[in-house]
């Protein structure tokens, strides 16, 4: 299994995941033009996608779907409330595939589990993607850590999770009004570096190889601070060999290989 983050942040989120012969895109929040360009950088044409999975309807996670699918027939998997929130915005005929939050289904060589997460959207979800005896947990845009999240993320070989802000930098920020800062740090907003570190400390196990930190704020966080906070916490758990990386808004990551530690 491998993944490549095409971009992550308030300007748009999208991640390629490949397992066996199956290739999917999780979220499509960049413009269609950028999605195509960044996929091409990874040797992928949009027509090769087996599906697009949506975590929720916010534009930074779904912006590119309409234009991308005007001349392409790519199934879009979403729950009913996410589809409802997006349908009126779409001019293209979207081939929706509706799942229930909490449902498990097969998608080619991948098994997909969708589970509810707290965020200010219609019905946001995280995903557990399993294939080739490997597990990738994906949680983006979540306001607080829940028991359900912990249970699903435990046992993951790789975890994609947001680390949106540093609490001290958010408190010191003078650009955002108080109400916006309250929304960000609310129970339906985003996770701080500390909250993400505490989550990972709780769910990480000896199988964990890669943590990809996503949705970093451009001015209330920085990759060095976020990665150091998480790496130090994992080290305290005796997990010094976990690769902690940060996704970027302006440039995609390379392909990140996820393989059993027994074979690495």
């Amino acid at each position: 299994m491998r993944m490549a983050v095409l971009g992550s942040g308030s300007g748009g989120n999208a991640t390629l995941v490949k397992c066996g012969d199956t290739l999917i895109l999780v979220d499509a929040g960049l413009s269609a033009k950028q999605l195509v360009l960044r996929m091409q950088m990874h040797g992928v044409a949009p027509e090769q996608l087996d599906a697009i999975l949506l975590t929720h309807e916010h534009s930074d996670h779904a912006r590119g779907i309409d234009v991308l699918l005007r001349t392409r027939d790519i199934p879009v998997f979403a729950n009913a409330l996410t589809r409802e929130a997006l349908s009126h915005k779409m001019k293209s005929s979207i081939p929706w595939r509706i799942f229930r939050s909490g449902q498990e289904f097969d998608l080619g060589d991948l098994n997909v589990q969708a589970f509810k997460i707290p965020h200010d959207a219609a019905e946001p979800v995280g995903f557990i993607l399993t294939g080739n005896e490997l597990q990738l947990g994906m949680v983006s845009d979540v306001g607080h850590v829940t028991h359900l999240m912990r249970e699903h993320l435990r046992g993951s070989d790789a975890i994609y999770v947001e680390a949106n802000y540093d609490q001290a930098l958010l408190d010191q920020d003078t650009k955002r009004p108080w109400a916006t800062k309250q929304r960000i740090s609310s129970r339906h907003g985003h996770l701080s570096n500390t909250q993400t570190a505490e989550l990972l400390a709780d769910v990480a196990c000896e199988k964990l190889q890669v943590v990809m930190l996503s949705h970093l704020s451009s001015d209330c966080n920085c990759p060095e601070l976020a990665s150091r906070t998480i790496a130090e916490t994992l080290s305290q758990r005796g997990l010094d060999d976990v690769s902690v990386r940060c996704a970027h808004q302006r440039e995609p990551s390379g392909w990140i290989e996820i393989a059993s530690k027994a074979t690495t």
Side-chain angles (χ1 to χ4, degrees), residues 66-86:
D66 191 20
V67 174
L68 186 68
L69 269 59
R70 285 188 185 169
T71 58
R72 300 177 180 93
D73 185 26
I74 305 169
V76 178
F77 286 74
N79 58 38
L81 289 179
T82 298
R83 189 267 307 268
E84 182 180 341
L86 286 170

Side-chain angles (χ1 to χ4, degrees), residues 2 4-7 13-18 22-32 34-36 38-39 42 44-46 48-55 61-65 68-69 74-78 107 110 127 129 138 255:
R2 56 181 179 164
V5 182
L6 302 183
N13 299 269
T15 302
L16 288 169
V17 178
K18 183 171 177 57
T22 301
L23 178 66
I24 66 170
L25 185 67
V26 180
D27 286 335
L30 303 169
S31 69
Q34 281 299 311
L35 287 171
V36 172
R38 297 187 188 197
M39 280 191 277
H42 292 81
V44 172
Q48 295 175 264
L49 292 173
D50 293 294
I52 298 172
L53 271 60
L54 292 183
T55 59
H61 292 261
R63 177 184 295 117
I65 289 176
L68 186 68
L69 269 59
I74 305 169
V76 178
F77 286 74
L107 183 52
L110 283 168
F127 293 115
L129 306 177
M138 302 192 73
W255 282 110

Side-chain angles (χ1 to χ4, degrees), residues 37-198:
L37 287 173
R38 297 187 188 197
M39 280 191 277
Q40 287 175 343
M41 293 172 66
H42 292 81
V44 172
E47 291 75 16
Q48 295 175 264
L49 292 173
D50 293 294
I52 298 172
L53 271 60
L54 292 183
T55 59
H56 62 293
E57 76 277 10
H58 289 169
S59 63
D60 60 330
H61 292 261
R63 177 184 295 117
I65 289 176
D66 191 20
V67 174
L68 186 68
L69 269 59
R70 285 188 185 169
T71 58
R72 300 177 180 93
D73 185 26
I74 305 169
V76 178
F77 286 74
N79 58 38
L81 289 179
T82 298
R83 189 267 307 268
E84 182 180 341
L86 286 170
S87 291
H88 72 281
K89 303 176 183 179
M90 301 294 172
K91 297 179 181 178
S92 303
S93 178
I94 308 297
W96 295 104
R97 303 289 187 271
I98 304 304
F99 61 78
R100 298 184 308 277
S101 299
Q103 183 180 354
E104 179 177 335
F105 57 93
D106 290 324
L107 183 52
D109 294 319
L110 283 168
N111 176 267
V112 181
Q113 297 179 59
F115 59 96
K116 291 184 179 182
I117 59 175
H119 186 55
D120 57 355
E123 192 177 340
V125 295
F127 293 115
I128 298 296
L129 306 177
T130 307
N132 290 338
E133 300 183 349
L134 295 164
Q135 177 175 306
L136 167 61
M138 302 192 73
V139 179
S140 181
D141 290 38
V142 56
H144 67 277
V145 176
T146 65
H147 176 71
L148 189 64
M149 285 171 53
R150 294 189 188 97
E151 288 303 304
H152 278 86
L153 291 175
R154 283 197 177 102
S156 293
D157 298 274
I159 296 177
Y160 171 103
V161 60
E162 80 161 354
N164 182 249
Y165 63 95
D166 174 77
Q167 187 64 60
L169 292 179
L170 181 66
D171 291 342
Q172 297 165 13
D173 178 55
T174 58
K175 299 178 183 178
R176 294 170 176 81
W178 179 84
T180 300
K181 293 198 282 188
Q182 285 295 104
R183 178 257 170 190
I184 291 170
S185 59
S186 75
R187 288 177 61 81
H188 288 83
H190 295 276
L191 291 183
S192 70
N193 293 339
T194 301
Q195 288 173 308
T196 300
E198 291 171 351

Side-chain angles (χ1 to χ4, degrees), residues 213-230:
L213 302 177
S214 66
H215 219 301
L216 273 68
S217 169
S218 60
D219 49 8
C220 292
N221 208 353
C222 69
E224 295 78 16
L225 180 56
S227 58
R228 183 173 68 249
T229 302
I230 275 65

